[in-house]
């Protein structure tokens, strides 16, 4: 997992041995934070890095993920998400929220 401010260049020595990377799109600590847009550039850079090396890398994003920004997240190269507050904020609508996100994926 990479915090928003952690540079990806630390992967130069490791990326060939990694199957999955999670990009945090909020600063870890508590739920309900707003998505940090510049993390999409990290996902794009990471996807390009994997493609250039011929690596099938699972890239996920966690933090501030919801139906409003999911299309842009997927377009940036992420192929899985972690969605907490956007799913669980209304306990009566959890199934509907998950179904909505799955449709967008």
């Amino acid at each position: 997992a990479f915090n928003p401010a952690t540079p990806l260049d630390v992967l130069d020595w490791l990326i060939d041995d990694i199957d999955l990377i999670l990009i945090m799109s909020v600063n870890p600590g508590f739920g309900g934070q707003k998505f940090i847009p510049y993390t999409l550039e990290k996902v794009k850079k990471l996807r390009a890095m994997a493609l250039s090396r011929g690596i099938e890398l699972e890239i996920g994003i966690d933090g501030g993920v919801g139906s409003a920004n999911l299309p842009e997240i997927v377009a940036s190269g992420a192929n899985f998400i972690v969605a907490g507050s956007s799913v669980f904020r209304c306990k009566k609508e959890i199934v509907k929220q998950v179904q909505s996100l799955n449709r967008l994926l």
Side-chain angles (χ1 to χ4, degrees):
F2 280 78
N3 285 334
T6 304
L8 294 176
D9 60 354
V10 300
L11 286 172
D12 288 342
W13 302 99
L14 303 170
I15 194 164
D16 295 316
D17 298 318
I18 296 174
D19 298 323
L20 181 144
I21 295 177
L22 181 67
I23 302 293
M24 295 300 299
S25 48
V26 298
N27 288 302
F30 60 91
Q33 295 182 61
K34 188 174 177 178
F35 182 83
I36 300 172
Y38 72 76
T39 57
L40 291 176
E41 290 305 314
K42 289 181 82 168
V43 173
K44 290 176 187 176
K45 182 178 177 182
L46 183 54
R47 179 58 65 202
M49 186 186 305
L51 289 172
S52 72
R53 293 180 184 221
I55 300 169
E56 291 188 33
L57 187 63
E58 299 291 322
I59 301 173
I61 199 155
D62 179 3
V65 174
S67 56
N69 59 6
L70 187 55
E72 190 175 18
I73 290 169
V74 172
S76 73
N79 55 353
F80 75 93
I81 61 166
V82 177
S85 295
S86 68
V87 170
F88 295 105
R89 70 175 167 248
C90 182
K91 294 184 190 241
K92 294 180 181 180
E93 302 293 325
I94 291 172
V95 173
K96 286 183 182 180
Q97 287 294 94
V98 171
Q99 290 170 338
S100 174
L101 292 173
N102 280 333
R103 278 192 298 275
L104 289 170
L105 284 172

